[in-house]
């Protein structure tokens, strides 16, 4: 697909400076973009590549001081880049309707004619699929699961019994939804398993990255709200409740019965202990370890996590410890001489 630069500017809501007739085939990184491709600058540190790039045009912030033959200026370069990606680079997955001969589907399962069931898929008793769902090769959908219309289950995903997915969900390869939570009790020195009798419920437009584990509730449901996005290698324990439009990046762990509000953002390798309440619009910095409730709108960091501003002050003091140690040793020597 190609599109004229003037048309692209209108489509992504940008202001064109340059030749509207230039034809663009796709969006690419500024370092490798060619003469029929467009690139972008959302961070000034990438200005160093402008001199040598072959890109036909650049998407840049409205106020960026830059000279280039063709520019698309916008107040939100990342949003404009996303729209350009969708328009130029996206390859829409076409549903290959029907059940592959190599799939195993229980007679009681409800499979619409518009769904795609790939090779090696196993679909259990009383499963219900919505229209235009895609279940790719070797996925296992156990009994009682419900998957909403337009959802896409990638290869080697496992949905344990009674898991419920909303519409337009995406589950990447290797993820397991509805496995037993880590529930045990010690009786007379013996570890006994607590039955995990709940399920997992995902809202609409939820995306789960590769190799994630979302545990079923021990009693009741583990829930994830509409439009929340999970990166790869995220672990959600039993009875966790996550709100809408949350971002959870890689290698996050959330312990059991913790509640997250809406629009919570968690940096990589951060974690939350169990039975806490995290408010709306909270940000948890990378490697932050949350051990107590966090109110709405707060940014926390460090371990144990505290106000980000307070943590920065502590880090500044820690950096001075070597020289403080030397000063103390010097004072000790002076005291010992007297």
């Amino acid at each position: 697909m190609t599109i004229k630069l003037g048309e692209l500017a209108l489509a992504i809501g940008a202001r064109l400076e340059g030749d509207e007739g230039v034809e663009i085939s796709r969006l690419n990184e500024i370092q490798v973009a060619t003469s029929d491709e467009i690139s972008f600058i959302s961070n000034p540190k990438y200005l160093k590549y402008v001199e040598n790039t072959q890109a036909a045009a650049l998407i840049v912030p409205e106020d960026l001081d830059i000279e280039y033959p063709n520019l698309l200026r916008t107040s939100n370069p990342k949003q404009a880049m996303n729209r350009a990606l969708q328009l130029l680079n996206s390859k829409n997955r076409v549903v290959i309707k029907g059940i592959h001969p190599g799939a195993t589907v229980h007679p009681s399962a409800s499979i619409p004619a518009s769904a795609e069931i790939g090779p090696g898929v196993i679909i259990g008793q009383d499963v219900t699929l919505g229209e235009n769902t895609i279940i790719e090769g070797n996925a296992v959908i156990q009994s009682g699961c419900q998957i909403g219309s337009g959802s896409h289950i990638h290869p080697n995903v496992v949905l344990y019994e009674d898991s419920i997915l909303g519409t337009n969900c995406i589950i990447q390869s290797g993820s397991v939804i509805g496995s037993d939570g880590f529930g045990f009790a010690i009786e007379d020195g013996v570890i006994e398993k607590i039955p995990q009798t709940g399920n997992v419920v995902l809202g609409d437009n939820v995306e789960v990255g590769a190799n994630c584990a979302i545990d079923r509730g021990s009693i009741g449901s583990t829930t994830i709200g509409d439009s929340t996005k999970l990166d790869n290698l995220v672990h959600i324990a039993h009875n966790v409740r996550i709100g809408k439009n949350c971002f959870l990046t890689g290698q996050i762990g959330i312990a059991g019965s913790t509640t997250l509000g809406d629009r919570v953002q968690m940096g990589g390798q951060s974690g939350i202990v169990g039975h806490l309440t995290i408010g709306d619009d909270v940000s948890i910095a990378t490697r932050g370890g949350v051990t107590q409730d966090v109110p709405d709108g707060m940014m926390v960091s460090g371990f144990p996590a505290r106000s980000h501003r307070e943590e920065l002050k502590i880090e500044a003091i820690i950096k001075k410890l070597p020289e403080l140690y030397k000063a103390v040793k010097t004072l000790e020597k002076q005291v010992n001489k007297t």
Side-chain angles (χ1 to χ4, degrees):
M1 172 185 176
T2 60
I3 185 172
K4 294 186 184 301
L5 192 58
E7 297 170 341
L8 179 61
L10 288 173
I12 67 175
R15 179 171 62 85
L16 172 62
E17 293 180 0
D19 183 357
E20 64 180 18
V22 172
E23 292 194 341
I24 304 296
S25 65
R26 68 193 304 270
L27 183 141
N28 208 342
E29 295 176 307
I30 191 170
Q31 302 97 311
V32 296
T34 60
S35 59
D36 65 341
E37 296 176 332
I38 191 169
S39 192
F40 63 97
I41 297 176
S42 59
N43 189 315
K45 72 179 183 180
Y46 287 93
L47 282 169
K48 62 186 177 183
Y49 297 111
V50 170
E51 184 176 351
N52 295 318
T53 186
Q54 300 300 308
L58 298 173
I59 299 170
V60 299
E62 186 69 56
D63 57 353
L64 184 67
D65 185 11
I66 180 176
E67 292 186 7
Y68 201 75
N70 298 306
L71 295 171
L72 297 184
R73 291 190 179 273
T74 171
S75 59
N76 193 334
K78 287 187 177 180
Q79 184 183 71
M81 178 202 71
N82 184 41
R83 290 174 178 170
L85 274 173
Q86 293 174 351
L87 186 63
L88 297 170
N89 295 39
S90 292
K91 297 178 180 178
N92 293 326
R93 173 68 154 78
V94 178
V95 180
I96 304 172
K97 299 177 182 179
I99 300 173
H100 191 278
T104 301
V105 179
H106 194 278
S108 65
S110 176
I111 312 294
S114 61
E116 173 186 337
I117 311 300
V121 168
I122 298 174
I123 296 182
Q125 185 175 357
D126 297 324
V127 167
T128 301
L129 303 185
E131 298 289 340
N132 300 303
T133 53
I134 299 173
I135 314 294
E136 294 204 53
N138 299 314
V140 177
I141 315 298
Q142 293 188 354
S143 63
C145 288
Q146 301 174 36
I147 301 177
S149 299
S151 290
H152 187 166
I153 309 300
H154 284 266
N156 299 308
V157 168
V158 178
L159 268 60
Y160 279 66
E161 62 270 15
D162 300 322
S163 296
I164 299 174
L165 278 61
T167 60
N168 300 313
C169 290
I170 298 173
I171 313 297
Q172 299 289 348
S173 294
S175 285
V176 177
I177 295 177
S179 54
D180 282 358
F182 197 65
F184 299 91
I186 299 177
E187 294 290 341
D188 299 325
V190 177
I191 298 176
E192 295 186 0
K193 183 177 178 63
I194 299 172
Q196 304 293 292
T197 62
N199 70 339
V200 173
V201 179
L202 307 186
D204 297 335
N205 302 301
V206 171
E207 296 192 25
V208 176
N211 296 313
C212 293
I214 305 174
D215 296 343
R216 66 173 54 246
S218 55
I219 302 173
S221 301
T222 300
T223 62
I224 297 179
D226 294 349
S227 299
T228 284
K229 315 298 182 186
L230 276 60
D231 196 1
N232 302 336
L233 299 167
V234 171
H235 178 210
I236 308 299
H238 55 192
N239 294 102
V240 168
R241 291 172 172 79
I242 298 176
K244 299 177 181 180
N245 294 295
C246 296
F247 273 114
L248 278 62
T249 53
Q251 299 184 357
I252 281 172
I254 302 176
S257 298
T258 283
T259 298
L260 276 64
D262 296 336
R263 299 173 300 280
V264 173
Q265 299 187 31
M266 297 182 65
Q269 296 187 337
S270 59
I272 307 174
V273 303
H275 303 276
L276 297 185
T277 299
I278 310 301
D280 295 340
D281 302 297
V282 167
S283 295
I284 300 170
T286 297
R287 303 188 73 180
V290 180
T291 58
Q292 58 186 356
D293 293 347
V294 181
D296 292 352
M298 191 172 184
M299 181 175 184
V300 297
S301 60
F303 183 83
R306 52 177 66 87
S307 162
H308 185 56
R309 179 170 294 184
E310 182 182 353
E311 177 66 14
L312 290 176
K313 290 179 181 177
I314 292 171
E315 289 180 4
I317 293 171
I318 290 173
K319 289 178 181 178
K320 296 179 180 178
L321 282 180
E323 60 187 81
L324 289 173
Y325 176 78
K326 290 179 181 179
V328 169
K329 298 302 288 185
T330 300
L331 288 172
E332 284 181 346
K333 290 177 181 179
Q334 293 175 357
V335 169
N336 291 334
K337 287 179 180 179
T338 58

